[in-house]
Amino acid sequence: MSVSAPSSRLTRWLDRAAGPGVHAAWLAGCGFAVWTLIPLSPAGWAFALAALWPGLAGLLLAGRETRDWARVALALSWCLPGLSASVLFASALSPAALVFLAGPAALAAAAGGRAARLCAVLAACAFLLAAGFSLLGPPAGPVLPSGALTGFAALAAFFALTGLTARARTYARLNAARRELEALRPAAEGFAHAPAPLLALNPDGMITAASRAVRRAAPGAPRDLTGLPAGGLGFDQTQADALGAALTEARGGGGAEGGRFSFTVRGPRGRESVLAARAVATPAGFVVSLQEPAGTDAQTAARLAAERDAAVAASRAKSEFLAAVSHELRTPLNAIIGFSDVMKQRLFGPLPARYAEYGDLIHESGRHLLELIGDVLDMSKIEADRYELSTEVFDVRDVADICAKMMRLRATEQGVTLHLDAGDAPIHVCADRKALRQILLNLLSNAVKFTPDGGAVALLVRRENGALLLAVGDSGVGISADEISRLGQPYAQSQSGRESNERSSGLGLVLVRQLAALHGGTMQIDSEPGEGTTVSVRLPVLTNAAGEPADVEPLEVHQRIRAAQAAGEQIVRTSEGVA
Ligand code: ADP
């Protein structure tokens, strides 16, 4: 921000030269007039002296116009020409009385408003006095030619004009200064409200302005800092010395790291608080920026950590509560399912038709509820870090086969075909069999649930890049991209999920993701609305039959084999074509 100087060099010189200049001009003008009028009568000499005197007094008092006694002396001196002109030569009511105006005008130009106002009051009194004298008797008679008096009057009028011009110039300067102050106001307010603690210092290191944030950084400092030495903000004299050294460094240019220093101030409860400070030289002095104590960051971090711990503890308590409740619910539910199963199977004889139907419904609903509670229980166990994997070595194709069989009936009922592609070679894994079964069942049941009549679902089990790949694809309704991003949250469901009548808790995919994570694996959803969905789970659980980690064939080898196969097939096809 650059600020133009309030007045130019010429204006300042004119201001300084105005006082002596005006008085010298008056002296010269009057001296010339008197010289042309010589020889003079005694009364004429008396007037000449009275006329010359204020010019002489102005020159003698030059530079002291602002002192009260000098102002009074000048004002009185400037009343003399008017008074003597009207008393000695003419009536106060003649044109010569204009000389009275010369005083206030000259002083307005030379010594400022206060002197001019004082002189105007005295001149008005002198004029009234002279007017009173002229009423008492006829004037003493024209001692000087009337032309000379008119000349003095013209000189006085010139001075009046000069004085008024000077006043106008002063007002113009004042207005310009006011406008500049207004223009500076936003910058000043911006400085005061800056979020960082900032101090503006004059070249002597006195504070000229301070941003409000300084109070926060140095609460022990006085409320109004303006005019105080900046070093006084420090905790002791060494701080003032450090600041002085930094200011000197900043004045010398400082460089990129120059002007930096550590400033200890009175912090909260008068305790020492160390601030990182930096001084930068400006045309008006210096700006010192203070950085709030690192302790503030540490306190914030500690508070955030405490809040996070409390949130984690609350979440864990919720999960533990859910786990306990789910567990308690399972016991009576098992009784409901067991007894309704007995009724369903008519173990104790036939039931009336209506009761038989109700028994079947109780059994069906009980099973749904049990599945839901199972999901909630598993989820809460995982969230409470209480889910333990019991790993064993097995052929994952067996699990895939069982799951496909379990889902096939439901798929067929819905008019959906279910394919299983697990290859011919065994795929040994070291994993939690129950968890893998749950992963597959969750994915398959979602695929069947969201695939309309006539669609297809495929389960693919493969080795891929040294990991087990379980992928369930369907030709169903699909999921939009933004819904996919929300599906990571427990209990989140997409639009189609909310509209579906089937059992749904919004936990199925989250459980799959979490169970995969427990095995060190990942889950990925690829879907297009209306095109279908493929959920792939990759688990690093491959082993050989002995349970040792499987030798991972480098991808390169795979690619080479595939390339060789493709080349072989190409040759066979070509030779068949030729034959
Ligand atoms: P839910 O128990 O509600 O099925 P999930 O976590 O298994 O919970 O699934 C969450 C939501 O993801 C479902 O409500 C459904 O909207 C969507 N979704 C999951 N799998 C599929 C799929 N194969 N096809 C379409 N939408 C799916």
Side-chain angles (χ1 to χ4, degrees):
M1 177 188 61
S2 79
V3 178
S4 59
S7 52
S8 68
R9 225 178 255 180
L10 178 67
T11 329
R12 283 202 298 275
W13 180 83
L14 278 177
D15 282 348
R16 270 203 309 279
V22 164
H23 288 103
W26 176 261
L27 202 60
C30 289
F32 179 72
V34 169
W35 181 64
T36 54
L37 293 171
I38 289 174
L40 291 172
S41 65
W45 275 115
F47 171 69
L49 282 181
L52 289 168
W53 173 245
L56 208 58
L59 286 181
L60 289 176
L61 295 175
R64 275 168 281 194
E65 294 93 341
T66 49
R67 309 238 174 113
D68 282 345
W69 62 267
R71 240 184 251 137
V72 173
L74 276 174
L76 284 173
S77 308
W78 274 105
C79 287
L80 272 183
L83 199 60
S84 55
S86 27
V87 170
L88 290 173
F89 309 118
S91 144
L93 305 169
S94 79
L98 279 177
V99 181
F100 277 116
L101 292 179
L107 287 187
R114 284 180 69 188
R117 275 197 297 278
L118 179 67
C119 187
V121 171
L122 291 179
C125 295
F127 173 75
L128 288 177
L129 196 71
F133 274 128
S134 56
L135 287 179
L136 286 180
V143 178
L144 287 178
S146 63
L149 285 179
T150 314
F152 275 112
L155 194 61
F158 166 75
F159 263 77
L161 210 65
T162 321
L164 289 177
T165 320
R167 293 301 304 148
R169 215 180 61 218
T170 309
Y171 276 122
R173 241 184 15 242
L174 271 178
N175 281 337
R178 204 169 289 142
R179 276 198 302 276
E180 271 174 17
L181 271 181
E182 279 302 314
L184 283 176
R185 190 195 291 265
E189 283 181 357
F191 184 89
H193 290 87
L198 297 174
L199 292 170
L201 313 184
N202 69 10
D204 300 329
M206 303 298 235
I207 300 174
T208 49
S211 74
R212 293 187 178 182
V214 172
R215 278 204 63 70
R216 200 178 56 227
R223 186 162 280 275
D224 187 8
L225 295 171
T226 321
L228 298 179
L233 267 185
F235 199 78
D236 50 33
Q237 185 53 38
T238 45
Q239 306 310 317
D241 297 344
L243 174 76
L247 295 188
T248 315
E249 203 177 311
R251 197 180 284 128
E257 290 299 306
R260 290 186 193 276
F261 62 107
S262 166
F263 199 49
T264 308
V265 295
R266 259 166 227 289
R269 283 180 232 104
R271 282 204 293 260
E272 291 182 39
S273 167
V274 183
L275 306 178
R278 181 163 191 206
V280 179
T282 66
F286 303 94
V287 168
V288 177
S289 67
L290 306 170
Q291 205 168 26
E292 291 181 66
T296 311
D297 285 348
Q299 280 160 10
T300 312
R303 184 172 50 79
L304 289 179
E307 282 171 10
R308 185 203 55 212
D309 290 347
V312 168
S315 168
R316 183 168 298 222
K318 177 211 73 181
S319 300
E320 281 173 1
F321 171 75
L322 274 179
V325 168
S326 307
H327 185 74
E328 291 305 317
L329 279 176
R330 278 226 276 210
T331 317
L333 207 51
N334 278 325
I336 292 172
I337 292 170
F339 291 132
S340 57
D341 195 31
V342 170
M343 289 158 75
K344 199 177 166 200
Q345 295 188 29
R346 321 286 191 262
L347 282 186
F348 301 112
L351 281 174
R354 186 63 68 84
Y355 286 155
E357 191 192 330
Y358 289 168
D360 289 355
L361 281 175
I362 291 172
H363 183 74
E364 191 56 28
S365 310
R367 287 197 65 82
H368 276 174
L369 211 51
L370 191 66
E371 279 175 31
L372 275 181
I373 289 172
D375 283 357
V376 174
L377 183 61
D378 286 341
M379 193 64 226
S380 354
K381 271 188 184 163
I382 290 175
E383 283 188 342
D385 289 339
R386 287 199 344 223
Y387 194 103
E388 278 172 23
L389 293 181
S390 66
T391 52
E392 56 185 302
V393 177
F394 59 94
D395 183 355
V396 74
R397 293 180 314 148
D398 299 341
V399 178
D401 202 34
I402 291 171
C403 293
K405 276 191 187 127
M406 283 169 75
M407 291 307 301
R408 191 157 281 131
L409 181 66
R410 199 160 126 206
T412 318
E413 276 171 10
Q414 254 181 253
V416 173
T417 47
L418 198 159
H419 306 277
L420 167 64
D421 179 357
D424 299 327
I427 305 174
H428 290 290
V429 295
C430 178
D432 184 324
R433 186 189 287 264
K434 193 172 135 261
L436 251 55
R437 207 177 64 168
Q438 189 164 6
I439 289 177
L440 289 179
L441 283 179
N442 283 8
L443 295 183
L444 284 171
S445 68
N446 272 350
V448 172
K449 186 163 58 176
F450 296 107
T451 304
D453 193 356
V457 171
L459 166 59
L460 190 80
V461 183
R462 284 275 157 81
R463 290 164 170 269
E464 194 191 77
N465 298 341
L468 168 68
L469 168 71
L470 303 172
V472 177
D474 64 58
S475 59
V477 294
I479 318 169
S480 67
D482 60 321
E483 283 179 328
I484 290 180
S485 61
R486 278 190 296 113
L487 286 181
Q489 310 294 325
Y491 311 102
Q493 292 178 316
S494 70
Q495 188 62 28
S496 50
R498 281 189 293 273
E499 283 163 7
S500 158
N501 295 328
E502 304 257 353
R503 167 192 89 97
S504 63
S505 57
L507 285 178
L509 286 179
V510 186
L511 268 177
V512 172
R513 191 189 292 277
Q514 300 280 22
L515 291 174
L518 284 178
H519 283 90
T522 55
M523 182 192 85
Q524 185 187 330
I525 304 174
D526 298 296
S527 188
E528 281 284 328
E531 295 290 318
T533 307
T534 302
V535 184
S536 325
V537 174
R538 288 181 176 79
L539 306 173
V541 291
L542 292 179
T543 60
N544 57 25
E548 288 152 8
D551 291 335
V552 177
E553 290 165 289
L555 187 61
E556 218 186 309
V557 178
H558 276 300
Q559 280 168 349
R560 260 196 240 141
I561 293 168
R562 250 183 245 129
Q565 279 172 343
E569 279 166 18
Q570 183 71 25
I571 290 165
V572 173
R573 247 181 274 130
T574 324
S575 50
E576 277 171 1
V578 169

